Amino acid sequence: MSEAPVPAPETWRPSDTELFAAYGDAFVPRRREQISTVCDLLTDLPDSHVLDLCCGEGRLAEEYLRRRPEGRVTVLDGSPEMLDLAAERLAPFGDRHTRVRADIADREWREGAAYGGIMTSLAVHHLDGPGKRDLYRDLHAMLAPGGVFVMADLVEPTGPTARALAAAHWEQAVRHASREQFGGDEAAVSFETAGWNYYRLPGPDPYDKPSSLPDHLDWLREAGFIEVDVAWMYAGHAVFTAKRTP
């Protein structure tokens, strides 16, 4: 999927980029399905120019541009290595994409732009609750009337049973993808060694700060969005959709 997790610059290292570039298709549960769902929701836009927030390798942008011959994408990420990977992936689309280096928590990139759609994946959970609320208000203001916001991200379970199930499903998805893509447990071993499964962590994490599904829905509505919904969910990962009033 916007697509690698993009923490603050001091927490995301080149080694993280290398690991995700190598195994991201396995680490993200049902990644192709998530990407397809995000792009399915970016239809009937008032403008075909879309922002890919924390673009990672540019997988979302690639799929959007492939589907929309008239589309344009601005890819934004705080990691120069990820921006380079995205630029390489999007090179076949010529000048239909531009790139901006900025962290999700920065404010400068949130001003002076209007998009028909905004998409992001595995990035917003690095903000705390107030940071998410501010972001949703700013994204709403950045959309043209009738514009659509689509987000794929981790969500925080509200109880231990759901948390354990999310953890187990995520591990199952990674094992299946690892065997399918690499012919063995190579990616699954790296996933476990790196401690990538947030739902297996013993306590609060200073960098990953997922919020509950109800909180996201409430904050999006509070920001002014309509048609706020969850279109897809599996292994603790959800795809949200919201729209600015036409």
Side-chain angles (χ1 to χ4, degrees), residues 55-124:
C55 65
E57 302 165 271
R59 297 292 184 96
L60 280 180
E62 178 185 39
E63 179 64 10
Y64 177 77
L65 292 173
R66 185 189 68 79
R67 293 187 182 200
R68 298 287 295 271
E70 79 288 3
R72 293 180 297 125
V73 176
T74 294
V75 294
L76 182 150
D77 204 287
S79 164
E81 293 84 12
M82 282 296 186
L83 283 174
D84 287 344
L85 290 173
E88 183 179 348
R89 179 175 297 277
L90 301 179
F93 299 100
D95 61 0
R96 293 171 57 202
H97 67 94
T98 56
R99 59 179 179 170
V100 175
R101 183 182 176 187
D103 185 70
I104 189 173
D106 294 341
R107 304 306 293 264
E108 292 79 5
W109 63 265
R110 305 184 190 186
E111 301 174 358
Y115 299 96
I118 298 173
M119 56 186 175
T120 185
S121 174
L122 299 177
V124 174

Side-chain angles (χ1 to χ4, degrees), residues 4-193:
V6 185
E10 67 271 19
T11 70
W12 188 260
R13 304 173 298 274
S15 59
D16 297 315
T17 299
E18 293 172 6
L19 182 65
F20 194 82
Y23 298 120
D25 280 346
F27 282 12
V28 179
R30 299 182 181 175
R31 192 184 198 188
R32 294 175 187 173
E33 191 175 323
Q34 287 196 50
I35 292 172
S36 180
T37 300
V38 169
C39 291
D40 286 344
L41 294 165
L42 290 168
T43 58
D44 300 321
L45 302 180
D47 189 311
S48 61
H49 187 191
V50 166
L51 172 67
D52 187 353
L53 175 58
C54 296
C55 65
E57 302 165 271
R59 297 292 184 96
L60 280 180
E62 178 185 39
E63 179 64 10
Y64 177 77
L65 292 173
R66 185 189 68 79
R67 293 187 182 200
R68 298 287 295 271
E70 79 288 3
R72 293 180 297 125
V73 176
T74 294
V75 294
L76 182 150
D77 204 287
S79 164
E81 293 84 12
M82 282 296 186
L83 283 174
D84 287 344
L85 290 173
E88 183 179 348
R89 179 175 297 277
L90 301 179
F93 299 100
D95 61 0
R96 293 171 57 202
H97 67 94
T98 56
R99 59 179 179 170
V100 175
R101 183 182 176 187
D103 185 70
I104 189 173
D106 294 341
R107 304 306 293 264
E108 292 79 5
W109 63 265
R110 305 184 190 186
E111 301 174 358
Y115 299 96
I118 298 173
M119 56 186 175
T120 185
S121 174
L122 299 177
V124 174
H125 69 275
H126 295 294
L127 299 174
D128 61 14
K132 294 182 181 79
R133 295 175 78 174
D134 288 344
L135 176 69
Y136 294 157
R137 285 193 292 266
D138 291 340
L139 295 184
H140 182 270
M142 292 172 68
L143 284 167
V148 176
F149 171 53
V150 184
M151 174 181 69
D153 209 350
L154 301 178
V155 294
E156 181 65 37
T158 58
T161 302
R163 186 182 187 88
L165 187 64
H169 282 177
W170 197 351
E171 288 164 355
Q172 291 168 15
V174 173
R175 283 196 297 269
H176 175 79
S178 181
R179 291 164 186 167
E180 186 178 68
Q181 297 171 29
F182 299 96
D185 293 332
E186 175 183 338
V189 170
S190 293
F191 179 80
E192 182 177 354
T193 301

Side-chain angles (χ1 to χ4, degrees), residues 136 140 149 213-231 239-244:
Y136 294 157
H140 182 270
F149 171 53
L213 191 150
D215 280 343
H216 281 292
L217 298 178
D218 287 345
W219 294 334
L220 287 165
R221 294 190 189 100
E222 179 186 275
F225 285 102
I226 62 171
E227 298 182 27
V228 176
D229 214 337
V230 175
V239 176
F240 296 84
T241 181
K243 186 175 183 179
R244 179 168 176 171

